[in-house]
Amino acid sequence: MRILNSIKAQEGFVSEKIEIREGPYGSSIFSTQKIHKDDTILEIKTSSIISVNSILGSDILRKFMASLKISLTPYDLLAVYLTLSRLTGENAAYMSSLQKTFDSPLTWPASDVLELPLDIKFFVMSTLSHMKKVFSAINEKLPEINDFKFFKWCYLNVITRNFNGGVLAIKAPTWLEINSRNQNASLIPGLDICNHWNSPNCRYSLKDDRFFLTAKDTIDSNKEIFISYGYSKGDHELLSTYGFVLPPGVNVSTKVQKRLKQTRT
């Protein structure tokens, strides 16, 4: 609950009808009372989010990223920022809210990854190789950051939790590789705890300087709060990034045809 208190302390809003607890899909937000359609559940100021804009807006962080002398993506920036937070002790409430363990192709044994479709295997191998490259550059500058396992944990949280934070407001440096999908990837405390479902009971939106989480339908007490990570995501993308697929027949946009081992469903 530390993260909810942190949101309120930063002039945000948290409904008294929710709590964070463990559910079938890990830690998530649940209703403790009936929530009515269109009720606001969370209201988070954009000044509270961790984004490419906020990182590049810091002279110290911008210079450190440039000193690595490698090309970086917005996801790299966020992962490096979380890694540095461990050294500085900053963002303790947010760091404590991050997912503790992962079960996705990026954490599976190589023998299991080889059983997956080609595009997922390529994603896993190229992503892990890139993680190691970025970590080596950080470790060279800051030898005290010598824990690749922790860096990988930070990176997995970025991959699975980032949102589109809107247009990049700062001119991108030459070492930053961006595209229209990731240009202002952002971590939004509180909102990024919510799990995905193709028929979510909540929606999120950005208005002025605040992100809102709002009920799409009436939500009974003791129900999990769901959002959509993107209606166009097929099971192949959900599996690659988040480590899950939806029940058979639910997702009409999928390339995953191979039957997965029961231990991975």
Side-chain angles (χ1 to χ4, degrees), residues 17-249:
K17 299 179 180 179
I18 63 168
E19 66 179 9
I20 297 174
R21 67 171 187 258
E22 289 297 312
Y25 309 109
S27 182
S28 189
I29 298 177
F30 287 80
S31 59
T32 57
Q33 304 175 44
K34 178 178 284 190
I35 299 174
H36 297 285
K37 181 179 179 180
D38 296 326
D39 279 357
T40 297
I41 298 171
L42 291 176
E43 186 178 321
I44 304 156
K45 293 192 70 174
T46 53
S47 58
S48 302
I49 74 173
I50 303 166
S51 67
V52 176
N53 276 333
S54 65
I55 293 173
L56 295 181
S58 164
D59 287 340
I60 294 176
L61 290 173
R62 187 186 182 102
K63 289 176 181 177
F64 176 76
M65 301 296 180
S67 74
L68 298 179
K69 299 186 182 305
I70 60 172
S71 295
L72 298 171
T73 70
Y75 296 166
D76 297 336
L77 263 62
L78 294 172
V80 173
Y81 177 83
L82 292 181
T83 304
L84 294 175
S85 292
R86 185 190 205 184
L87 288 181
T88 63
E90 296 178 1
N91 302 301
Y94 182 64
M95 295 294 284
S96 69
S97 76
L98 297 177
Q99 187 169 331
K100 302 300 185 291
T101 60
F102 294 88
D103 183 8
S104 77
L106 287 167
T107 65
W108 293 359
S111 57
D112 285 352
V113 173
L114 291 175
E115 295 295 317
L116 296 172
L118 181 61
D119 54 346
I120 299 180
K121 282 189 288 191
F122 177 78
F123 170 81
V124 172
M125 291 185 290
S126 61
T127 300
L128 288 175
S129 175
H130 181 72
M131 280 186 199
K132 292 174 182 177
K133 178 182 177 181
V134 176
F135 175 76
S136 294
I138 303 171
N139 183 238
E140 184 176 337
K141 286 290 179 182
L142 294 173
E144 59 268 42
I145 298 180
N146 57 5
D147 186 350
F148 176 70
K149 184 178 180 180
F150 180 76
F151 176 73
K152 182 179 179 181
W153 174 79
C154 291
Y155 214 107
L156 290 171
N157 270 290
V158 169
I159 290 175
T160 58
R161 285 174 171 250
N162 79 88
F163 290 80
N164 182 349
V167 178
L168 186 62
I170 299 173
K171 183 179 179 180
T174 55
W175 46 263
L176 182 62
E177 297 181 346
I178 61 173
N179 57 47
S180 58
R181 292 186 64 185
N182 71 11
Q183 63 174 315
N184 193 24
S186 304
L187 298 171
I188 306 177
L191 181 59
D192 61 12
I193 297 174
C194 298
N195 284 314
H196 167 86
W197 192 251
N198 263 26
S199 300
N201 51 19
C202 290
R203 60 178 177 270
Y204 60 90
S205 59
L206 172 62
K207 184 177 181 181
D208 298 326
D209 67 340
R210 294 173 183 266
F211 278 92
F212 292 87
L213 178 65
T214 309
K216 286 182 64 177
D217 307 293
T218 296
I219 303 170
D220 291 330
S221 178
N222 202 38
K223 296 295 184 181
E224 183 169 357
I225 301 299
F226 286 107
I227 59 175
S228 171
Y229 293 173
Y231 291 101
S232 63
K233 284 185 170 67
D235 281 337
H236 61 291
E237 188 172 356
L238 293 175
L239 178 61
S240 299
T241 307
Y242 307 104
F244 69 86
V245 296
L246 297 177

